[in-house]
Amino acid sequence: ELSSGINAEYGHRQKVPLYYRDYCVHWFIPWRNCLVDNNWTRYAHREVCHRWKEGWDLCEIRDNLDRIAEKKCLKKEGLWRKVPFSAEIFDDKRDKLMAKENGWQFGYDIRGRPVRRPRSEAQVDV
């Protein structure tokens, strides 16, 4: 069950890419079908199908905010990341390479790739 009564089989029949098979697929399918019906023209993007696109965007934003709120609640209750995940096997290596003592800061960029930079670069002046 993806959302609003749409199951995975229906998403597969509609040829929805896996990336878009989330909570807001009930907005994505009509938007994409509207674009197909109007031959993917600029007019379709701007005038005909914009309501579906706006609904899908708002649904995605609301879904992300709900996920953030859920994560905050789990962190507050101490239940976030209780089960180790596969990336934690590299934690000891990360700690050796990027420990606080040697002046390096470790984090992730916008795509989730690891970033290693000197601590002086990472601090932002406000």
Side-chain angles (χ1 to χ4, degrees):
E1 189 79 19
L2 297 174
S3 72
S4 302
I6 295 177
N7 58 13
E9 181 185 342
Y10 183 73
H12 180 70
R13 276 186 298 171
Q14 288 287 322
K15 298 181 181 172
V16 178
L18 288 174
Y19 182 77
Y20 297 111
R21 291 185 197 178
D22 59 358
Y23 178 76
C24 299
V25 72
H26 63 281
W27 284 99
F28 178 79
I29 292 172
W31 173 54
R32 205 260 326 269
N33 289 344
C34 178
L35 292 175
V36 169
D37 293 343
N38 292 286
N39 297 321
W40 295 87
T41 59
R42 279 190 184 159
Y43 179 73
H45 278 280
R46 292 182 186 159
E47 304 292 330
V48 182
C49 307
H50 68 94
R51 289 192 192 108
W52 295 112
K53 172 68 170 149
E54 288 171 5
W56 182 63
D57 286 339
L58 290 174
C59 181
E60 288 286 321
I61 290 169
R62 190 173 61 239
D63 185 35
N64 286 336
L65 291 175
D66 288 346
R67 288 172 195 254
I68 290 169
E70 183 182 2
K71 180 179 175 182
K72 282 183 181 177
C73 287
L74 288 174
K75 279 188 171 183
K76 188 176 180 181
E77 295 169 7
L79 300 173
W80 180 250
R81 292 260 172 94
K82 281 290 184 185
V83 179
F85 63 109
S86 59
E88 288 183 357
I89 59 174
F90 300 108
D91 276 356
D92 55 345
K93 184 178 179 183
R94 181 196 68 191
D95 292 340
K96 287 178 191 171
L97 291 174
M98 302 166 207
K100 291 180 181 176
E101 299 87 47
N102 63 14
W104 289 88
Q105 181 170 351
F106 177 76
Y108 295 95
D109 68 358
I110 204 162
R111 289 185 164 187
R113 297 174 297 199
V115 174
R116 182 178 175 232
R117 61 176 76 115
R119 187 171 295 279
S120 58
E121 286 181 25
Q123 293 175 349
V124 179
D125 298 329
V126 178

